[in-house]
Amino acid sequence: GAGVSQSPSNKVTEKGKDVELRCDPISGHTALYWYRQSLGQGLEFLIYFQGNSAPDKSGLPSDRFSAERTGGSVSTLTIQRTQQEDSAVYLCASSTGYSGYEQYFGPGTRLTVT
Amino acid sequence: AQRVTQPEKLLSVFKGAPVELKCNYSYSGSPELFWYVQYSRQRLQLLLRHISRESIKGFTADLNKGETSFHLKKPFAQEEDSAMYYCARGSIYNQGGKLIFGQGTELSVKP
């Protein structure tokens, strides 16, 4: 079946604009994760969804970042008033939600803030 | 704080040489540990996890609780092993499988 998909694959935006990044997880996966991959920072956890609720938002870097998940499926990560330091690759992953189980990653969205 | 440390940003070896990518983690406990790999222009994917005690593509990793390490090893490196390797652990608070990643090590295998 289809893997995790993300859109857009690339996004260039001006500083101060809002952006929305989308993730379609593998069907039936209840857990969904957002990570950020940037130079010098490696892979950072942002937020975790179990179904439509987000029990762990501890990795969101500021209140400009928010995310939602609807229907236990698609998730949207929104960054308001983008800053240059938000430039990174944003990765989405899904899994069965049990610790120790494999996470399946999407191809990522490369965000560039000019 | 929960941390995963990969001390080498870049590791360069010749084809056929042994390779060891180092990984250390904070907090002993009973961690869930993984190695993920990202080949050029491909998505991040699981290579192996310690609970499976498996060998994938010739790679193995042994959990050493005394040294809090989970180093990745392969006796004879191949050019196709060139990739970015990330060590990761599950959160000690069992937060639904959330992963804490190391900074990554780029492995370059030269012919």
Side-chain angles (χ1 to χ4, degrees):
Chain A
V4 178
S5 61
Q6 293 184 245
S7 61
S9 54
N10 277 286
K11 177 72 177 179
V12 180
T13 190
E14 292 179 354
K15 177 182 171 181
K17 300 280 191 185
D18 297 352
V19 294
E20 282 190 354
L21 312 179
R22 177 187 167 107
C23 172
D24 279 273
I26 291 172
S27 177
H29 278 185
T30 57
L32 186 149
Y33 312 84
W34 284 97
Y35 295 90
R36 180 167 70 173
Q37 187 176 31
S38 52
L39 283 174
Q41 298 295 323
L43 271 161
E44 303 170 273
F45 166 80
L46 297 177
I47 187 169
Y48 150 63
F49 286 92
Q50 181 62 249
N52 290 336
S53 64
D56 189 352
K57 307 178 184 179
S58 62
L60 294 178
S62 76
D63 58 9
R64 296 186 295 105
F65 287 72
S66 63
E68 64 175 12
R69 189 179 184 194
T70 55
S73 181
V74 171
S75 176
T76 303
L77 177 69
T78 302
I79 308 173
Q80 295 178 310
R81 305 181 302 281
T82 52
Q83 303 294 312
Q84 287 187 329
E85 60 263 28
D86 300 335
S87 296
V89 176
Y90 289 82
L91 294 175
C92 175
S94 71
S95 82
T96 60
Y98 295 100
S99 292
Y101 282 70
E102 178 173 1
Q103 291 188 18
Y104 295 83
F105 283 80
T109 293
R110 181 175 296 279
L111 175 66
T112 304
V113 182
T114 60
Chain B
Q2 302 178 71
R3 276 191 302 274
V4 175
T5 303
Q6 293 179 252
E8 302 134 332
K9 280 190 174 180
L10 173 65
L11 186 61
S12 185
V13 301
F14 286 103
K15 176 183 172 181
V19 63
E20 181 179 68
L21 288 82
K22 292 184 168 50
C23 172
N24 288 87
Y25 59 92
S26 64
Y27 184 80
S28 45
S30 296
E32 294 159 345
L33 290 157
F34 309 83
W35 277 97
Y36 278 79
V37 61
Q38 190 168 27
Y39 301 101
S40 179
R41 287 185 287 278
Q42 293 187 29
R43 60 185 69 189
L44 194 64
Q45 58 187 284
L46 178 67
L47 179 62
L48 55 78
R49 50 191 166 187
H50 90 277
I51 59 172
S52 301
R53 295 182 176 275
E54 56 201 346
S55 174
I56 302 293
K57 300 184 179 183
F59 284 97
T60 58
D62 292 321
L63 175 61
N64 186 322
K65 289 188 177 182
E67 296 181 358
T68 59
S69 69
F70 189 56
H71 303 328
L72 184 68
K73 301 177 184 180
K74 184 169 183 177
F76 308 104
Q78 303 299 314
E79 290 179 68
E80 55 266 29
D81 296 329
S82 295
M84 195 74 182
Y85 291 80
Y86 291 95
C87 182
R89 66 162 295 164
S91 168
I92 61 172
Y93 303 111
N94 196 24
Q95 291 159 305
K98 159 186 171 181
L99 291 175
I100 298 159
F101 285 90
Q103 300 279 67
T105 297
E106 182 181 354
L107 175 64
S108 173
V109 182
K110 299 179 178 179

